[in-house]
Amino acid sequence: MELILVTGLSGAGKSRVIDALEDIGFFCVDNMPPKLIPTFIQLILNSKEQRDKIAVVTDIRAGLSADSLAQCLSEMKAAHIEYKLLFVTADDETLQSRYKLTRRKHPLAELCNGLLNEAITLERERLRPAIQCADYIVDTSHLSPKDCRERIAALFLENPSTKMHIHCMSFGFKHGVPTDADLMFDVRCLPNPFYVDELKEHTGLEAPVREYVLKWDVAQTMLTKLYDMIDFLVPLYEKEGKTQLVIAIGCSGGRHRSVVFAEKLNRHLLKNGLLCSVNHRDITK
C-alpha cells in the first residue's frame, strides 16, 4: 500500500493537492486528527476491501501539533506502516492574498486577536517540525491549478519509494526565490537576451533565444560544470534516501536564460535514465 500523509499551512492548497491525488487514483480522507491515523490505516489494512493508494490530510484544524505528529509517526513506525509525508506551503504574501480573496477565517485567528499575519506566523512556527521531517515539500505560491496537478502527478504516478524524482525549475529572482528548492543556481552572469530587441519578447523555449544564450563560451563552460556538479550530487542524495530533489535555476525575469538552462539540465538527466520533470515558474510574467 502506498500511503501519503498530507499536511501544511492553512490556505496553501492542500485541497488542490488532494484533488490532484484523487485524479491519479488515491483514496483521500481529509481533516483527520493525527491520533486517529494509525488506527484508520490498520482498519484499511485489515479490511477485505484493501486499497493500494491512500492519502490522509491532517492539519491545524484537526489538532495537529508537534507532539501529536510525533506520536502519530511513532505509532506508524512501531506498526511497520510505511508512509511518505507531503508538506504543502506558500509564502506569507500569497497566503494573505488568498484569505482576503475568499474571506475565510484562519483557524488560529482567535488566538491572534483576528490578525491574519500573526495567525500565519503562529501556524508556520507550530508546523515547523512537520516541514523538517517531510519527504516532499510543494510550494504553491506560484503554481497554477494546472501546474499543481502536473507536479503531484510527476511525484506520485510512480512509486516514490523506489526512485528519486528530480524537478528542474526556472524562475526570476525579481519574482522571489522558490522556497522548496534544494539546489539553486544563478545564471544572471550570462549575456541577457532581454536587451536584444528581436529576442526580448520571446522565451527560452524558442530556438533564437536558446541559440543566443548558448553561443557564448562562458555559457557552455557553465553548462558543463552544472552537469558535472549535478551528476556528482544525485547519487549522494539517492544514497541518503532522498525521494525528491528540486533544482532551481534563476535569472532576472525567469523567461530567457534560466529557461534554457532548466530545459538543458532536464534533458541531460532524462538521458541518464533519471525520473525528471521541468517547469518554468515565471515564463509568462
Side-chain angles (χ1 to χ4, degrees), residues 117-253:
N117 60 330
E118 292 188 9
I120 291 172
T121 299
L122 176 60
E123 183 180 30
R124 196 181 293 278
E125 183 61 31
R126 286 190 175 184
L127 295 186
R128 189 180 302 278
I131 197 171
Q132 290 176 341
C133 65
D135 298 286
Y136 306 96
I137 300 173
V138 174
D139 187 335
T140 66
S141 302
H142 303 278
L143 291 182
S144 68
K146 178 177 179 293
D147 291 336
C148 183
R149 288 195 302 271
E150 291 177 351
R151 182 74 178 279
I152 296 302
L155 286 175
F156 299 114
L157 270 178
E158 295 193 22
N159 189 342
S161 64
T162 61
K163 198 171 185 180
M164 182 174 71
H165 178 265
I166 303 174
H167 181 66
C168 299
M169 173 195 305
S170 70
F171 72 95
F173 277 96
K174 72 177 185 180
H175 302 298
V177 298
T179 58
D180 55 344
D182 299 293
L183 298 170
M184 190 179 302
F185 297 92
D186 185 351
V187 295
R188 288 177 293 182
C189 56
L190 299 177
N192 192 350
F194 180 83
Y195 297 110
V196 179
D197 289 340
E198 58 268 29
L199 300 177
K200 179 177 181 178
E201 300 302 326
H202 295 273
T203 74
L205 295 177
E206 300 172 76
V209 174
R210 183 168 58 249
E211 292 169 0
Y212 178 87
V213 171
L214 297 176
K215 76 176 183 177
W216 310 97
D217 289 341
V218 65
Q220 292 296 328
T221 300
M222 181 181 286
L223 194 60
T224 299
K225 291 182 179 295
L226 176 62
Y227 290 165
D228 289 343
M229 173 65 75
I230 299 303
D231 290 345
F232 171 74
L233 290 175
V234 165
L236 299 180
Y237 282 118
E238 289 180 321
K239 184 178 180 180
E240 184 190 349
K242 193 170 181 63
T243 52
Q244 175 189 228
L245 184 67
V246 179
I247 304 174
I249 301 177
C251 62
S252 299

Side-chain angles (χ1 to χ4, degrees), residues 34-96:
K35 64 181 181 180
L36 297 183
I37 293 177
T39 302
F40 170 74
I41 298 303
Q42 286 290 4
L43 289 173
I44 294 291
L45 290 173
N46 295 332
S47 68
K48 295 182 179 179
E49 187 180 350
Q50 291 194 8
R51 299 180 181 272
D52 296 329
K53 296 182 176 184
I54 298 177
V56 179
V57 180
T58 185
D59 54 25
I60 288 291
R61 298 171 302 163
L64 181 65
S65 65
D67 291 339
S68 62
L69 176 65
Q71 181 180 351
C72 170
L73 299 185
S74 177
E75 290 182 18
M76 302 268 278
K77 184 177 181 180
H80 304 289
I81 299 174
E82 296 185 0
Y83 65 89
K84 296 295 181 184
L85 180 61
L86 168 63
F87 193 94
V88 187
T89 186
D91 59 48
D92 287 0
E93 182 179 355
T94 299
L95 294 174
Q96 291 176 13

Side-chain angles (χ1 to χ4, degrees), residues 20 31 35 93 95-96 112 115 129 133 183 193 255 261 274 282:
N31 201 19
K35 64 181 181 180
E93 182 179 355
L95 294 174
Q96 291 176 13
C112 300
L115 298 175
C133 65
L183 298 170
R255 300 186 70 245
F261 268 66
L274 297 169
D282 301 324

